[in-house]
Amino acid sequence: MHILITGSNGLLGQKIVAQLLDANISFVATSKGKNRNPDCPEEFYQSLDITDKAQIESICDGQEFTAIINTAAMTNVDACEENEAECRKVNVAAVKNLYEVSEDLGLYFVQVSTDFVFDGENGPYKEEDERNPLSIYATSKRDAEDILINGNYPNWSILRTIIVYGEGNNLSRSNIVLWAKEALKQGNELTIVNDQFRAPTWADDLAWACIQSVKLKAEGIFHISGPETISIYDLVCRIADFYGFDKTVVKPISSNTLNQKAKRPPKTGFDLTKSAKILSYRPLTLEESLQYITN
Ligand SMILES: NC(=O)c1ccc[n+]([C@@H]2O[C@H](COP(=O)([O-])OP(=O)(O)OC[C@H]3O[C@@H](n4cnc5c(N)ncnc54)[C@H](OP(=O)(O)O)[C@@H]3O)[C@@H](O)[C@H]2O)c1
């Protein structure tokens, strides 16, 4: 096995790198610009902007990869709403590049997608449920899925996931658990939505599922999330309880008071039956994972 990882400076990319190093599986880690992950040895790193197909072809030249795992994306949902052209370039056109190179070279391709392809009216969702994206980010991820679903080359999986959390090095953006832990530590009042429900996903579990799908060459769509769907408000209260912070500072608010640019689905969450059966996916509970967050 020899794996090309994109977006290796991101949270998921870093977790995949760590697990491949542990398992002694060979890989090339890539991201736009320099390597910002000190745990990724420089000899395993190359810069790659996935919007440039020639760069992808050049990195694959002479490498004999067996698979590509695409974790790179424009992931800031509100920034996507403001810059649709850039969002579609990274989240759709670049996925077409990676899919076409996979097809040309006979590689297995893993694309990471999102619960936001659903409108959140009927969660928790199964893989085959009807999609109805509500934002530019969500539409871009749906359209990326369609490149694989409607293509002629079947050697791929789409792993959909939901708010991913964990620690990483020099991340370009934080995540809900790190952010809430830090804010609770400072004792600030926090206003948190109580009308959006999600199944938060431990980044290490998602990384494991990406690698497992490569090992099994599992084909099709898989739902990969944490085991429990809860409101964001309850999530932050559980984080406070776990780390022993005062949760009376956490105040519930409704989403419509936030004025967020991109519309969010009210209730997602996933049915994990298929990924449990085919990938043997067994996610940690929230509290089991929180014990590993040290900072
Ligand atoms: N995080 C979540 O809550 C969540 C929820 C559902 C689905 N997902 C999906 O899960 C995947 C991984 O998410 P994540 O949390 O690991 O995201 P992340 O931390 O934002 O990482 C994405 C990485 O992609 C890199 N990137 C952006 N444009 C690129 C380009 N043109 N070429 C190469 N690399 C590029 C970014 O580089 P910079 O660091 O330099 O910006 C970043 O390191 C994404 O497909 C995302 O849509 C995430």
Side-chain angles (χ1 to χ4, degrees):
M1 226 170 11
H2 185 41
I3 301 176
L4 173 63
I5 305 154
T6 68
S8 68
N9 283 332
L11 177 59
L12 174 59
Q14 292 194 20
K15 300 300 180 187
I16 293 173
V17 164
Q19 291 185 23
L20 292 178
L21 284 170
D22 274 355
N24 233 344
I25 295 172
S26 76
F27 65 89
V28 174
T30 68
S31 219
K32 211 169 71 175
K34 289 202 168 97
N35 181 15
R36 296 201 311 271
N37 176 12
D39 296 332
C40 177
E42 283 302 331
E43 64 266 34
F44 299 144
Y45 184 85
Q46 293 186 44
S47 295
L48 169 63
D49 181 340
I50 58 168
T51 63
D52 182 347
K53 193 175 180 189
Q55 278 189 40
I56 304 170
E57 288 168 333
S58 153
I59 277 193
C60 290
D61 197 26
Q63 282 280 352
E64 307 212 343
F65 287 120
T66 43
I68 299 177
I69 303 178
N70 179 32
T71 80
M74 186 165 167
T75 55
N76 183 319
V77 178
D78 293 314
C80 288
E81 208 67 17
E82 287 178 339
N83 193 346
E84 181 170 11
E86 184 61 19
C87 166
R88 292 198 64 87
K89 197 171 154 194
V90 180
N91 291 358
V92 188
V95 174
K96 187 161 183 281
N97 292 340
L98 292 163
Y99 177 71
E100 287 174 355
V101 171
S102 301
E103 180 172 16
D104 287 349
L105 301 178
L107 315 182
Y108 176 76
F109 180 46
V110 182
Q111 167 64 10
V112 183
S113 192
T114 170
D115 57 332
F116 277 28
V117 297
F118 299 111
D119 61 19
E121 297 299 329
N122 297 299
Y125 289 96
K126 287 188 163 63
E127 284 79 353
E128 63 276 18
D129 283 341
E130 196 181 326
R131 298 164 302 167
N132 184 26
L134 301 178
S135 64
I136 286 169
Y137 167 78
T139 303
S140 75
K141 298 297 277 189
R142 190 270 317 269
D143 292 351
E145 290 188 354
D146 281 343
I147 292 166
L148 281 62
I149 292 167
N150 299 327
N152 293 318
Y153 181 67
N155 204 3
W156 54 261
S157 63
I158 293 168
L159 269 50
R160 292 193 190 123
T161 192
I162 307 179
I163 46 175
V164 184
Y165 66 91
E167 284 178 300
N169 297 305
N170 304 310
L171 295 173
S172 53
R173 64 191 198 112
S174 188
N175 54 72
I176 179 83
V177 172
L178 297 186
W179 172 83
K181 190 178 176 193
E182 188 53 38
L184 288 161
K185 199 185 286 175
Q186 290 173 10
N188 302 332
E189 181 173 299
L190 302 179
T191 51
I192 307 290
V193 290
N194 65 354
D195 54 1
Q196 289 184 34
F197 294 80
R198 305 281 182 264
T201 307
W202 175 233
D204 298 66
D205 283 336
L206 176 59
W208 180 90
C210 290
I211 297 167
Q212 177 76 343
S213 74
V214 172
K215 285 181 180 164
L216 301 178
K217 290 209 156 76
E219 288 178 3
I221 303 171
F222 295 92
H223 281 178
I224 302 293
S225 71
E228 203 183 348
T229 303
I230 53 175
S231 75
I232 307 291
Y233 172 78
D234 284 336
L235 170 64
V236 173
C237 290
R238 295 256 297 264
I239 294 167
D241 282 343
F242 184 85
Y243 295 114
F245 296 122
D246 174 16
K247 73 175 172 206
T248 63
V249 297
V250 187
K251 309 288 181 206
I253 53 162
S254 140
S255 298
N256 58 25
T257 62
L258 278 184
N259 259 333
Q260 288 172 311
K261 289 219 155 50
K263 205 170 168 200
R264 270 77 168 166
K267 182 178 182 211
T268 64
F270 285 157
D271 181 327
L272 300 175
T273 311
K274 182 181 175 187
S275 50
K277 190 168 166 207
I278 297 178
L279 301 178
S280 305
Y281 177 65
R282 305 272 184 277
L284 296 187
T285 64
L286 177 67
E287 280 75 11
E288 281 169 344
S289 69
L290 291 181
Q291 67 182 314
Y292 297 113
I293 293 182
T294 51
N295 286 314

